[in-house]
Amino acid sequence: MSAIKAALKAAKGALDKHEYDKAVEHATQVLKKDPRNYHANVFLGLAFEKLSRYEESEKAYTAATAVKASDPLAWQGLVALYEQQGSRKLENYHDAAARLAHLFIEVDDKSRCQTVVDKYIDFARKVGSRTQYKHSLELLLPGTELYDYLEGRILHPSYTYTKLAEIVEQDEKERINYEIGQRRTRLGAKIDQVTVEVKREVLQNSDLEALYQHVIDWTDDDETRRLYEEKLLQHAYETLIALPGAQKPSKRDEVIRLAKGLVILKHPFALAWKISLEWQDVERLEELDAGLLREYIEYFPEDGLGKVLKGYLESEISVFPKRELSQEDKHEQKDEIPTMTAEDRLILMTDGLQDSPTSVLSHRIMGEYYLYLDEYECAVETARKARQQVGVVSRMSGLPFTNTRDAIDIVLGTALVQYQAPRHHPEARSLFESILTRKPADSSALVGIGLILEEQEQFEQAIDFLERALMHAPSTRIKAEAAWCRALNGDYASACSELEECLPQVFASDVRTKALRAQILYRIGVCMWELDDSRSSRKDRNRAYARFISALQADANFAPAYTSLGIYYGEYARDQSRARKCFQKAFELSSSEVVAAERLAQLFAKTSEWDLVEIVAQRVVESGKLRPPPGSRKKGISWPFAALGVVQLNNHDYPKSIVSFQSALRISPKHYYSWVGLGESYQRSGRYMAATKALEQAQKLEQELGPDVLGDTWFSKYMLANVKRELGEYDGAIAAYKEVLALRRNEYGVSIAFLQTLIEAAWDNLRLGFFGRAIESVQEALEAAKDIVTWRKDAYNLWKAVGDLCSVYTYIQSYIQHFPIQDIQSLLKHDFKVEEYELMADFDEVDWSAFDASTTGDSPDSMLQCCSFAIILAQKRAISCCAHDPYARAVAWYNLGWAEHRAHACRHRGKPQAIKQLNHLKASVQCFKRAIELESGNAEFWNSLGIVTSQLNPRVAQHSFVRSLYLNDKNARTWTNLGFFYLTEGDIQLANDALTRAQSVDPDHAQAWLGQGLLAAQLGETGEARSLFTHAFEIADASATQIQRSYASSTLDHLLSLPGASNDIASLLQPLLALRQLSKLSLNELPYDHIRSLFEERIGDQANASQGLSSICSTLETEYEMSESSQTLKHFAQAKADWSRCLLAERKFDSATENAQTALDLSAEEEDQPSMAQTRLSAHLSAGLGHFYQGCMDDSTVMFKGALEETQGDPDIVCLLARVLWAKGGGQERSIARDQLFDSIEKHPGHVATTLLLSVIAVLDADHATIEAVSEDLQQLRCRDDLTPQQHTQLAQLLDTITALYPDNKDPISAQMSNAVTAVMLGPSLPYGWSQLANLTDDPHPAEMAILAAVRKAPPRGDLGAADLSEAYAGTQGGEDAQRSIMLAPWQSFGWKALTSV
């Protein structure tokens, strides 16, 4: 024991000397001997604490407390130890401090106990978290041992509870925000749903309300108590909102209790007062506590609900008595606040409603007030918002609000009955019926359904509902409405008497019933009006008229009375001015006055005030009274939509007019004029098929309704004709116009449309190549113009059309001889002024005298000039007809410019540039300039100026094209013109760029492809140029003469470059068509007429070719006699040579030899020129063959020898000469023929025709040696790749003949079989080998292959003749094939023989 005491003493001394390591050592020695030594553990804990070895110190102190739990020394050490460690050991500090405080309680040491508690709480406040601080404060709460012991020495409980409440408030707020932030990022999370869930979790388990209640219970400060009562109510209210429906009732009762408590205390907390007011489910507003309402206004004068309540209590609809004021109060109110007017009250209530968007009571009151003011739209909007807010409040509180919902539904239904009636009647009726299921005696719902039935013209049912309402709630208003339903049902006498009974019950002095009195008086007037419909009765100012006036005296804003007075003034008093004013007043007061609106719209339409018509019709549409509800007997009103359609049609707003007419037709499907208007709208907007259907429907209605109902119906036929015209169905359009003109002969619009359609049909036929039809249309148009000029000579469109119909003749010049000069002259001469035709005469030299002089000639050129002058004069007269319209004048100058340009083109076609007169071209420039001055933004005007100035001033032309493209860069014609301009100026790159742009803008613009073709030809790319010309011709109109020229000439060049290409007849038809069209369109196209004749010759049309060449020869002969030009002489010789070939083909041998000889004579002086070699060769051959067929062998031989000299021994000519000599029959001639052939084969080895001819001569001469030699040559020739199908066939036939005649000791059948097989192998696509093989075998396959090969070689895929194809069909020996063979070539014997063998 002494050792332990010594060690303890040493440890104590070491602690005093701050030798803490020695203290640890000494204390440890003691504990080794006595582990439960209290002081050793205390000393050890203290030493470890000083050494900052806190865990070991805590263990030592804990061990000490375990030895002596009631000794405070160890607990004090623990408290000091925990305090040094800050917040890390704050929870242990709490337990240690509490234990130490209890020890001081046991020893009754209040001072030390309070010190421990205060020190701990202050330390927790400084270093601990809010939760730890809250935990520390809980030591001081009433009911704890410490509070009971230290009461009066520590904080007051109200302060403690306040601190705890603040801490919990902050914790809950942070927790809610944190959880919302975490959960809102989850997939599919919605912020509203997440917020409700989080608040439910937090608030449902919150202790905050208990803390608030403790603060309220313990505090002595009234302000603090009221503050925490507010917080308690607010927290309970928020908890109620978050709770699920099943848990709401108990919490709701608590919230209501708290709110009522604050209201009883008159504490101005808005939430409490609003709960007390808003959550009352009253059936009528008079069930509310008036005192409570006035107190709310007093406490919350600036609140939205307070403003509404203040206005309501002072309004006419308030059921609460006005508050009685003392004399002193009245005096003060008079001095301070002026009396509120109705306008001020409405403004106050409106502001209040805006300030309280969630208040159900505000919306309910304002809905009823809007109903009183007849502001039905506002009432509907307010009631709908009220329904939404009731649902929100019901979900928040869990209250059903049945009475409130019904009251709001009554307001909404009543407003819907009147607002845009009858659009919303189905909705209103469903609301009323829903109320009646719960409250069968509700008079407002019964009246609402009665009014709906009245609007639907179901008057008997309406009377029933109104009488039921009258039974449950007697009312003058309901009685008057029931009487009016009887009147509408036809019982005007009873209705009039009942209305007279109602009138004394409505006082004129009562402001609230002035509208009802006016309505009753008006309805009495209507009954009187209908009871006696005689004119005298209705004119009587003491009957219905007096009642209408009395109604207006009762209520100057009663619109129906103005409508009836308007009818009275318009139909009986004959005062249209007053009638118009009455209708305007009625419609201004109410858009529901449809009758007044219709009369007003008719009056405005008569004076063409279309803007006012639109305003009236649009307002009626917006009123919602046009379409009846489903099940209603009332007919819809379609005229406002039709009127809107007419206005929009006049304003060129076609999409809107379509919608308007469609709306009208949905209401009245058999409204004829709406169908016509719809058709016109479709037509003007470019929807022609839809227009056709609409107008056809209108015509069906014409047949159903008849002219007695519809009146004049020609306009629909006229519009249908317009549609067909736009669709390009000109025949149908012309027939329709004629039908209309039969009804309306002098209708200018129809006549001009008919005239323009005839001209458009002419242009369309010209485009399609139907030139005769085009001339027929023009002639008919001329007759129409002659008729129009007799009664409308000053019409711009008439003279433009006259110019256009004359233009057609300049484009189809083959009909120029048929130009009706006399008719045109009389037409232009009709009531004219000389100065009209002298316009621009200084430039173009064209006036009436010039035109009159041009009518005397009868040559095509004279007729063409006369036609050009007629076009110019017609366009000049058109300018004089539109002097007051700048836009029409611009177009007229533009048309005159093109007329001048056309005259220039017709006058100088085919003439060299040097001899051209430019007066028309200069006049054209002036015309286009004037057009641009009048309308400078027109791209077509600039484009035209560029075209006509290209020859005069290239800089101006380029500027004009660029300006046109600036205005419209999507015009392919302008890009093409610019490309041609650059091409003529030699700028290849810019020309290519411009033409490429034109092709990209419009790939079907043929002129752009022509320009690319000319560009390729200029660059030497003939193949590419020909392809481009071909494509241009395929997509071009039939009137594109330059394309036809380029295409035909390029095709001819291609055929001449490929000797075998001309054998394909199909490839010749298209260029021949182009040339024939060209011959119709343009006169004196001698080069292209010559080319046309050559194409006709190649396809075998010898008659037309001969006729054309004959005409060409005559023209050239005449031209040569006038000019004696060597070039003309050369062309004449070529034409003669070509004509001789055609005559030879026609077997006119005399004429052929004569023309050939003429060609040779004419070209004798030019024989050394290479260009005449082919002409002379053709003439020699034609003459030689002509003499040959005439039997003049000597002359024929001379000609062929001349041909040989011309060609220097051409093998083909040698073959022809050999045939002639052989045909002559003499031995010498045949010997010469052999010698010529042998010489030719030596010079041209491998020449197929020569070899074949020598082989035939050898066979005929039976020359075995020669036959053997040529047989080998023939076998070698068969293997060549350059043989034509005809040469293959000729070789095979010759070898078969040699094999048959000279079998060479072989089986003839085997040899022929070998030849046939060889022919098939060398030419499997040729029919001859297969036919021979079929003749030698019984197998049907070779014959079928022969037919297949022959069909593939037939035109247009080949040039196999009809005889060869017939032979192939005959080879099958079948009956059907034999008939086909006969059909293909009835002059051949193959088919007949095959048919006889069947």
Side-chain angles (χ1 to χ4, degrees):
M1 289 292 293
S2 59
I4 293 175
K5 289 182 178 181
L8 287 173
K9 186 175 181 180
K12 178 70 171 60
L15 288 172
D16 294 338
K17 296 177 181 179
H18 304 291
E19 296 176 352
Y20 301 117
D21 291 333
K22 289 183 179 181
V24 170
E25 182 180 350
H26 294 308
T28 303
Q29 290 177 1
V30 174
L31 290 174
K32 286 180 180 179
K33 296 177 181 179
D34 185 6
R36 294 183 56 81
N37 190 291
Y38 176 77
H39 292 287
N41 281 307
V42 171
F43 292 157
L44 182 61
L46 180 60
F48 280 141
E49 178 186 348
K50 298 301 183 180
L51 293 173
S52 300
R53 295 166 65 179
Y54 299 126
E55 292 184 2
E56 295 173 346
S57 177
E58 183 179 5
K59 290 179 181 180
Y61 282 137
T62 303
T65 58
V67 175
K68 289 185 179 181
S70 60
D71 194 314
L73 181 61
W75 293 105
Q76 288 175 343
L78 277 174
V79 167
L81 175 65
Y82 291 145
E83 190 173 351
Q84 290 185 20
Q85 297 181 59
S87 62
R88 193 167 65 87
K89 291 290 185 177
L90 193 58
E91 293 298 329
N92 301 73
Y93 190 4
H94 175 83
D95 296 337
R99 180 60 179 164
L100 181 61
H102 281 89
L103 290 177
F104 288 138
I105 293 174
E106 291 176 358
V107 298
D108 195 19
D109 190 348
K110 291 185 178 181
S111 177
R112 295 178 68 185
C113 179
Q114 180 181 356
T115 301
V116 170
V117 172
D118 290 344
K119 188 177 182 180
Y120 163 63
I121 292 175
D122 186 60
F123 182 78
R125 180 181 60 80
K126 291 180 179 179
V127 303
S129 64
R130 283 196 300 270
T131 304
Q132 291 170 334
Y133 182 48
K134 172 178 173 289
H135 191 39
S136 68
L137 290 174
E138 289 174 353
L139 293 173
L140 304 179
L141 293 178
T144 63
E145 186 179 0
L146 283 174
Y147 175 78
D148 295 339
Y149 182 69
L150 298 176
E151 184 177 4
R153 301 174 66 91
I154 58 175
L155 296 174
H156 191 272
S158 63
Y159 177 80
T160 304
Y161 281 120
T162 301
K163 287 293 183 183
L164 288 173
E166 292 175 354
I167 292 171
V168 174
E169 283 177 0
Q170 190 68 22
D171 286 344
E172 287 187 0
K173 182 179 180 181
E174 291 181 356
R175 182 183 172 191
I176 289 172
N177 293 336
Y178 174 78
E179 290 295 333
I180 291 174
Q182 290 292 316
R183 299 185 188 184
R184 67 183 299 179
T185 59
R186 296 175 183 174
L187 186 65
K190 297 180 179 179
I191 184 64
D192 296 337
Q193 184 178 357
V194 168
T195 302
V196 172
E197 291 176 355
V198 171
K199 285 187 175 181
R200 182 182 302 149
E201 294 175 5
V202 175
L203 298 179
Q204 194 171 6
N205 301 314
S206 174
D207 298 328
L208 198 56
E209 293 182 22
L211 293 173
Y212 288 153
Q213 188 62 51
H214 285 308
V215 174
I216 294 168
D217 293 342
W218 283 97
T219 186
D220 296 330
D221 185 9
D222 289 341
E223 291 184 4
T224 303
R225 183 179 292 108
R226 297 294 172 264
L227 173 64
Y228 278 88
E229 285 176 348
E230 292 178 5
K231 289 188 174 184
L232 177 59
L233 176 59
Q234 186 70 44
H235 192 277
Y237 177 73
E238 293 177 357
T239 305
L240 174 64
I241 294 173
L243 287 175
Q247 301 177 17
K248 284 183 183 291
S250 59
K251 196 67 177 178
R252 181 180 63 245
D253 295 340
E254 179 185 351
V255 170
I256 294 174
R257 177 181 59 78
L258 293 172
K260 285 184 177 180
L262 288 173
V263 171
I264 291 171
L265 294 173
K266 303 291 189 292
H267 179 62
F269 182 51
L271 178 62
W273 288 84
K274 287 182 179 180
I275 289 173
S276 298
L277 286 175
E278 301 275 0
W279 288 16
Q280 293 187 48
D281 187 23
V282 296
E283 186 173 354
R284 290 180 297 276
L285 292 176
E286 53 261 34
E287 297 178 17
L288 295 172
D289 184 357
L292 186 63
L293 298 179
R294 291 192 173 94
E295 287 175 352
Y296 187 92
I297 297 170
E298 180 180 354
Y299 288 128
F300 308 102
E302 298 302 321
D303 183 73
L305 177 59
K307 294 178 181 179
V308 173
L309 290 174
K310 182 177 180 181
Y312 169 69
L313 291 178
E314 296 184 10
S315 68
E316 302 88 342
I317 66 170
S318 174
V319 295
F320 300 106
K322 299 292 188 297
R323 186 172 58 179
E324 296 293 335
L325 299 177
S326 62
Q327 293 296 329
E328 183 178 354
D329 292 339
K330 290 181 179 179
H331 181 72
E332 292 178 358
Q333 188 180 44
K334 182 177 181 181
D335 293 339
E336 296 178 2
I337 304 175
T339 305
M340 186 181 297
T341 63
E343 292 78 8
D344 295 337
R345 182 166 52 251
L346 179 60
I347 293 173
L348 177 67
M349 296 177 73
T350 305
D351 292 342
L353 183 63
Q354 292 177 353
D355 295 340
S356 56
T358 60
S359 172
V360 176
L361 184 58
S362 295
H363 284 84
R364 180 176 175 180
I365 292 173
M366 286 304 297
E368 293 188 3
Y369 193 59
Y370 282 136
L371 274 184
Y372 167 74
L373 298 176
D374 294 337
E375 294 291 339
Y376 301 114
E377 182 178 0
C378 296
V380 169
E381 181 181 354
T382 305
R384 291 192 190 280
K385 291 180 180 179
R387 296 189 80 200
Q388 295 176 358
Q389 293 305 320
V390 167
V392 173
V393 175
S394 178
R395 288 191 297 271
M396 287 166 41
S397 64
L399 291 171
F401 291 108
T402 304
N403 293 327
T404 302
R405 289 179 187 271
D406 289 345
I408 293 172
D409 286 347
I410 287 174
V411 172
L412 177 59
T414 305
L416 288 174
V417 170
Q418 303 296 333
Y419 175 56
Q420 293 185 345
R423 177 186 295 179
H424 305 291
H425 283 184
E427 181 184 358
R429 184 165 184 173
S430 66
L431 292 172
F432 291 138
E433 289 176 348
S434 175
I435 294 170
L436 290 175
T437 56
R438 297 184 296 273
K439 302 174 182 178
D442 192 293
S443 60
S444 298
L446 291 170
V447 171
I449 295 179
L451 293 175
I452 292 172
L453 293 171
E454 177 187 332
E455 180 68 26
Q456 295 177 357
E457 298 183 357
Q458 300 179 20
F459 302 117
E460 294 180 358
Q461 298 180 35
I463 293 170
D464 178 59
F465 274 91
L466 291 171
E467 287 180 346
R468 286 167 56 189
L470 191 61
M471 185 187 306
H472 295 293
S475 168
T476 304
R477 186 182 300 273
I478 300 175
K479 183 178 180 181
E481 198 66 43
W484 179 241
C485 286
R486 287 191 177 87
L488 295 176
N489 200 31
D491 189 0
Y492 293 105
S494 300
C496 188
S497 62
E498 290 182 11
L499 289 170
E500 292 284 1
E501 293 175 3
C502 294
L503 190 60
Q505 302 173 17
V506 183
F507 302 102
S509 59
D510 192 346
V511 178
R512 291 178 295 179
T513 59
K514 66 176 184 177
L516 178 60
R517 181 175 180 82
Q519 185 184 67
I520 294 173
L521 286 167
Y522 163 74
R523 290 176 174 179
I524 293 172
V526 172
C527 292
M528 291 180 175
W529 184 276
E530 297 295 337
L531 279 172
D532 188 354
D533 59 355
S534 64
R535 187 173 184 84
S536 59
S537 174
R538 291 187 173 182
K539 287 183 66 176
D540 188 355
R541 289 178 175 261
N542 296 320
R543 289 179 56 78
Y545 173 82
R547 299 303 186 277
F548 297 148
I549 294 295
S550 299
L552 292 178
Q553 290 173 348
D555 185 1
N557 294 326
F558 190 69
Y562 284 107
T563 302
S564 298
L565 283 176
I567 297 173
Y568 171 83
Y569 286 126
E571 295 182 2
Y572 297 96
R574 295 182 180 180
D575 190 343
Q576 297 299 327
S577 176
R578 283 190 176 182
R580 180 168 177 168
K581 290 179 181 178
C582 288
F583 291 138
Q584 284 182 329
K585 184 66 175 179
F587 192 60
E588 286 173 4
L589 292 172
S590 174
S591 61
S592 300
E593 291 301 309
V594 180
V595 175
E598 185 175 10
R599 299 287 185 105
L600 201 57
Q602 290 173 354
L603 292 173
F604 289 144
K606 289 179 181 178
T607 56
S608 298
E609 298 177 75
W610 298 112
D611 292 341
L612 297 177
V613 173
E614 182 179 14
I615 293 172
V616 171
Q618 187 63 45
R619 191 177 175 203
V620 175
V621 169
E622 292 172 355
S623 70
K625 288 186 170 294
L626 304 185
R627 293 184 177 88
S632 174
R633 299 176 185 176
K634 193 173 183 179
K635 293 182 179 180
I637 302 170
S638 62
W639 70 262
F641 287 112
L644 280 176
V646 172
V647 173
Q648 290 155 355
L649 197 59
N650 288 333
N651 294 335
H652 307 291
D653 195 351
Y654 306 123
K656 289 185 178 180
S657 69
I658 290 172
V659 174
S660 297
F661 284 123
Q662 286 177 339
S663 301
L665 289 169
R666 290 190 188 100
I667 298 173
S668 301
K670 291 190 175 182
H671 191 255
Y672 170 77
Y673 294 103
S674 294
W675 281 111
V676 175
L678 180 62
E680 185 176 0
S681 301
Y682 278 136
Q683 183 259 335
R684 295 195 178 183
S685 62
R687 300 168 63 179
Y688 301 119
M689 297 308 298
T692 302
K693 293 180 180 179
L695 293 169
E696 288 176 350
Q697 182 65 30
Q699 291 187 341
K700 289 181 181 178
L701 291 176
E702 291 176 10
Q703 299 175 359
E704 292 179 11
L705 302 177
D708 297 336
V709 177
L710 300 177
D712 205 349
T713 58
W714 64 271
F715 190 74
S716 65
K717 299 180 177 63
Y718 167 65
M719 288 307 305
L720 188 58
N722 288 341
V723 172
K724 291 182 178 180
R725 171 186 173 186
E726 296 291 347
L727 289 173
E729 300 176 8
Y730 296 110
D731 293 339
I734 291 169
Y737 284 130
K738 288 181 178 178
E739 184 179 353
V740 177
L741 288 173
L743 301 173
R744 308 275 295 193
R745 177 173 176 77
N746 291 336
E747 187 69 38
Y748 170 70
V750 181
S751 299
I752 286 296
F754 174 58
L755 175 60
Q756 292 174 336
T757 304
L758 287 169
I759 295 173
E760 289 175 9
W763 288 114
D764 187 62
N765 286 320
L766 172 61
R767 180 181 63 85
L768 296 175
F770 302 128
F771 304 130
R773 294 184 185 178
I775 296 299
E776 291 176 0
S777 296
V778 166
Q779 291 172 348
E780 190 173 358
L782 180 59
E783 296 299 322
K786 288 165 61 179
D787 177 64
I788 296 173
V789 77
T790 58
W791 50 274
R792 192 69 178 269
K793 62 180 177 59
D794 57 346
Y796 161 75
N797 288 324
L798 167 64
W799 298 109
K800 179 185 178 299
V802 171
D804 290 342
L805 68 87
C806 293
S807 297
V808 175
Y809 283 98
T810 67
Y811 283 95
I812 313 176
Q813 295 178 7
S814 59
Y815 287 88
I816 196 64
Q817 296 289 349
H818 301 284
F819 181 64
I821 294 178
Q822 300 300 325
D823 292 337
I824 295 296
Q825 189 174 18
S826 63
L827 190 64
L828 293 171
K829 194 175 181 180
H830 181 82
D831 196 12
F832 80 103
K833 298 177 183 179
V834 177
E835 57 271 15
E836 292 178 348
Y837 295 140
E838 291 180 350
L839 189 68
M840 298 295 294
D842 295 340
F843 289 94
D844 58 13
E845 301 176 0
V846 177
D847 53 12
W848 179 257
S849 60
F851 170 70
D852 196 32
S854 68
T855 59
T856 57
D858 57 356
S859 65
D861 289 340
S862 299
M863 298 286 285
L864 192 58
Q865 184 184 33
C866 177
C867 184
S868 300
F869 286 0
I871 299 171
I872 293 173
L873 293 183
Q875 299 298 348
K876 287 181 178 180
R877 189 158 183 181
I879 292 175
S880 66
C881 293
C882 57
H884 302 293
D885 188 346
Y887 294 103
R889 287 186 64 202
V891 176
W893 280 108
Y894 171 77
N895 294 332
L896 179 58
W898 278 119
E900 298 282 2
H901 184 268
R902 186 61 187 163
H904 171 78
C906 293
R907 184 175 182 180
H908 301 293
R909 53 189 172 80
K911 293 184 180 180
Q913 182 73 21
I915 64 173
K916 287 184 179 180
Q917 297 179 3
L918 302 178
N919 57 323
H920 287 298
L921 197 60
K922 293 178 180 179
S924 179
V925 172
Q926 296 301 319
C927 292
F928 288 132
K929 285 183 177 180
R930 293 196 182 184
I932 290 171
E933 289 174 0
L934 292 170
E935 189 178 349
S936 59
N938 193 310
E940 287 296 332
F941 294 176
W942 287 101
N943 178 41
S944 303
L945 181 62
I947 293 172
V948 299
T949 56
S950 297
Q951 300 178 16
L952 302 175
N953 193 330
R955 290 186 178 181
V956 174
Q958 183 181 18
H959 170 74
S960 300
F961 288 134
V962 172
R963 181 65 180 174
S964 176
L965 291 173
Y966 172 77
L967 295 171
N968 180 15
D969 62 347
K970 301 297 183 183
N971 193 328
R973 294 191 303 275
T974 308
W975 282 109
T976 303
N977 294 334
L978 183 61
F980 276 104
F981 170 77
Y982 286 137
L983 189 61
T984 56
E985 294 298 318
D987 195 329
I988 303 299
Q989 182 60 43
L990 289 178
N992 180 62
D993 293 343
L995 292 170
T996 303
R997 181 66 181 272
Q999 289 173 317
S1000 64
V1001 171
D1002 185 5
D1004 292 332
H1005 186 53
Q1007 302 297 331
W1009 294 94
L1010 171 65
Q1012 289 284 18
L1014 295 174
L1015 187 61
Q1018 187 170 343
L1019 295 174
E1021 299 175 1
T1022 55
E1024 179 68 15
R1026 181 174 53 83
S1027 299
L1028 293 168
F1029 290 145
T1030 302
H1031 181 69
F1033 176 74
E1034 289 173 350
I1035 64 175
D1037 297 341
S1039 58
T1041 55
Q1042 185 56 48
I1043 293 177
Q1044 294 163 352
R1045 295 187 188 102
S1046 300
Y1047 170 59
S1049 59
S1050 65
T1051 305
L1052 180 63
D1053 293 340
H1054 173 67
L1055 295 176
L1056 293 176
S1057 64
L1058 298 176
S1062 62
N1063 296 328
D1064 185 6
I1065 297 177
S1067 64
L1068 306 177
L1069 296 178
Q1070 202 167 10
L1072 178 58
L1073 173 63
L1075 290 167
R1076 286 184 173 175
Q1077 288 177 344
L1078 179 61
S1079 66
K1080 295 288 186 181
L1081 296 171
S1082 181
L1083 295 176
N1084 298 329
E1085 295 278 354
L1086 289 180
Y1088 296 97
D1089 290 341
H1090 196 165
I1091 294 174
R1092 186 191 77 244
S1093 299
L1094 295 179
F1095 276 108
E1096 289 171 341
E1097 177 191 2
R1098 291 189 178 227
I1099 67 170
D1101 189 2
Q1102 307 299 339
N1104 284 327
S1106 179
Q1107 182 180 356
L1109 288 168
S1110 174
S1111 175
I1112 292 170
C1113 289
S1114 301
T1115 303
L1116 288 172
E1117 185 176 4
T1118 304
E1119 185 177 342
Y1120 178 73
E1121 290 175 355
M1122 295 173 62
S1123 64
E1124 295 186 356
S1125 169
S1126 59
Q1127 190 69 20
T1128 304
L1129 183 63
K1130 178 181 175 181
H1131 292 167
F1132 183 48
Q1134 290 175 345
K1136 280 289 186 180
D1138 294 336
W1139 189 19
S1140 66
R1141 286 199 312 275
C1142 294
L1143 292 171
L1144 184 64
E1146 290 184 290
R1147 306 187 70 81
K1148 298 178 180 179
F1149 304 121
D1150 292 337
S1151 300
T1153 53
E1154 180 183 352
N1155 282 283
Q1157 189 61 51
T1158 303
L1160 289 172
D1161 295 339
L1162 293 173
S1163 60
E1165 296 179 359
E1166 307 288 340
E1167 60 181 348
D1168 294 336
Q1169 295 185 5
S1171 59
M1172 294 300 296
Q1174 290 185 349
T1175 300
R1176 292 183 60 80
L1177 175 60
S1178 175
H1180 276 109
L1181 293 176
S1182 298
L1185 291 173
H1187 288 305
F1188 173 75
Y1189 287 114
Q1190 287 179 303
C1192 302
M1193 298 304 176
D1194 294 334
D1195 294 336
S1196 177
T1197 302
V1198 172
M1199 288 299 170
F1200 282 126
K1201 286 181 178 181
L1204 283 173
E1205 292 175 0
E1206 293 284 348
T1207 60
Q1208 298 179 354
D1210 185 273
D1212 292 325
I1213 304 301
V1214 171
C1215 290
L1216 286 173
L1217 179 59
R1219 289 178 181 176
V1220 172
L1221 292 173
W1222 190 270
K1224 190 174 182 182
Q1228 183 180 359
E1229 288 80 0
R1230 292 185 177 184
S1231 176
I1232 294 172
R1234 291 189 191 94
D1235 293 340
Q1236 290 288 339
L1237 289 173
F1238 280 118
D1239 291 341
S1240 178
I1241 202 65
E1242 288 179 2
K1243 296 177 182 178
H1244 305 282
H1247 189 261
V1248 179
T1250 305
T1251 305
L1252 286 171
L1253 199 52
L1254 281 172
S1255 301
V1256 171
I1257 292 174
V1259 171
L1260 294 175
D1261 289 343
D1263 187 350
H1264 292 276
T1266 305
I1267 289 172
E1268 185 176 352
V1270 298
S1271 295
E1272 295 178 1
D1273 293 338
L1274 292 175
Q1275 292 291 350
Q1276 293 177 358
L1277 284 176
R1278 296 179 75 180
C1279 299
R1280 284 171 52 175
D1281 296 333
D1282 58 346
L1283 296 179
T1284 64
Q1286 289 79 7
Q1287 290 173 338
H1288 267 294
T1289 303
Q1290 291 171 357
L1291 284 170
Q1293 291 173 345
L1294 184 55
L1295 286 172
D1296 285 339
T1297 303
I1298 293 173
T1299 302
L1301 295 175
Y1302 307 102
D1304 195 17
N1305 298 325
K1306 294 181 180 179
D1307 183 8
I1309 300 301
S1310 299
Q1312 291 177 7
M1313 179 67 74
S1314 177
N1315 287 334
V1317 171
T1318 303
V1320 170
M1321 294 298 293
L1322 293 174
S1325 62
L1326 300 175
Y1328 179 76
W1330 293 105
S1331 296
Q1332 291 301 105
L1333 193 60
N1335 293 332
L1336 297 173
T1337 63
D1338 295 331
D1339 190 352
H1341 178 67
E1344 295 174 358
M1345 289 301 299
I1347 294 175
L1348 181 61
V1351 170
R1352 290 181 176 177
K1353 289 296 181 182
R1357 290 177 288 182
D1359 55 358
L1360 189 70
D1364 296 328
L1365 186 58
S1366 174
E1367 183 179 4
Y1369 274 107
T1372 63
Q1373 301 298 319
E1376 294 181 359
D1377 290 335
Q1379 293 176 350
R1380 291 191 181 96
S1381 176
I1382 294 171
M1383 182 191 68
L1384 288 169
W1387 63 89
Q1388 296 288 346
S1389 61
F1390 313 121
W1392 300 106
K1393 290 180 180 179
L1395 188 61
T1396 56
S1397 64
V1398 174

